[in-house]
């Protein structure tokens, strides 16, 4: 009978978490959004908008779900929707990014040759999901974002 090592259990958990994160992102991005092959350059960040951000994956400070209001390229309001999100906002609201900052992070990941950079877009070109895996064989370096409930403000 084979023995299971701690490293083997960690690897299986990481793979399982990555699969669940990918499945969750797929399901969230499919809710009321239509994915296209539009690119980030097809969408221009408006001067004011709101959106919901679900950030998961990896060992990093920005984990949780947030309702975000952006004006003039800056987050002016961020509310944590779940416990993790509330802790992030209480600790340091500046951790919560604008959509433009997420797109810049995606471009940086491409330039730095991350192993996986996957972005899905709505018809208007804005991102609906982002997945970055900096090193495919590393554990806890993934970043997954689901963007929903987007609304441009007048």
């Amino acid at each position: 009978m084979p023995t299971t090592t701690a490293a083997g259990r960690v690897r299986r958990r990481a793979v399982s978490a990555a699969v669940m994160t990918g499945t969750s992102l797929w399901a969230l991005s499919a809710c009321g959004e239509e994915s296209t092959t539009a690119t980030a350059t097809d969408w221009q960040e408006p001067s004011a908008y709101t959106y919901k951000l679900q950030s998961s994956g990896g060992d990093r400070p920005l984990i949780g779900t947030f309702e975000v209001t952006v004006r003039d390229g800056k987050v002016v309001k961020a509310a944590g929707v779940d416990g993790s999100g509330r802790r992030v906002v209480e600790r340091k609201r500046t951790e919560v990014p604008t959509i433009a900052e997420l797109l810049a992070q995606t471009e940086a990941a491409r330039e730095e040759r991350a192993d996986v950079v996957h972005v899905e877009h709505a018809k208007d070109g804005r991102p609906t999901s982002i997945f970055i895996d900096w090193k495919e064989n590393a554990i806890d370096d993934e970043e997954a974002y689901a963007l929903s409930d987007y609304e441009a403000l007048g």
Side-chain angles (χ1 to χ4, degrees):
M1 184 175 246
T3 60
T4 303
T5 65
R9 285 190 300 275
V10 168
R11 255 185 247 106
R12 275 197 303 279
R13 276 189 241 139
V15 168
S16 177
V19 169
M20 290 182 67
T21 296
T23 301
S24 296
L25 280 175
W26 173 82
L28 284 168
S29 67
C31 294
E33 302 291 343
E34 192 165 323
S35 177
T36 68
T37 57
T39 63
T41 58
D42 294 336
W43 181 75
Q44 296 296 314
E45 182 179 53
S47 62
Y49 62 93
T50 61
Y51 79 107
K52 184 181 278 186
L53 174 66
Q54 181 182 12
S55 177
S56 61
D59 183 18
R60 55 200 181 87
L62 185 65
I63 299 293
T65 303
F66 310 89
E67 290 177 344
V68 185
T69 302
V70 176
R71 292 198 186 279
D72 300 321
K74 296 182 180 175
V75 172
V76 294
K77 182 180 177 190
V81 175
D82 59 8
S84 296
R86 284 188 289 276
R87 283 189 293 279
V88 169
V89 171
E90 287 170 7
R91 186 177 59 245
K92 193 171 186 185
R93 186 184 78 184
T94 58
E95 293 281 335
V96 181
T98 66
I99 295 175
E101 290 170 331
L102 288 170
L103 289 172
Q105 188 169 339
T106 301
E107 283 308 306
R110 286 187 177 117
E111 289 172 9
E112 294 174 29
R113 301 189 188 275
D115 286 338
V116 177
V117 179
H118 180 76
V119 181
E120 292 188 14
H121 301 270
K123 283 183 180 181
D124 66 0
R126 69 187 154 76
T128 56
S129 70
I130 298 170
F131 180 76
I132 301 170
D133 189 354
W134 292 92
K135 296 202 181 290
E136 198 167 18
N137 295 324
I139 295 173
D140 284 345
D141 70 326
E142 301 85 8
E143 299 177 34
Y145 305 99
L147 297 84
S148 62
D149 299 346
Y150 170 83
E151 183 180 342
L153 303 174

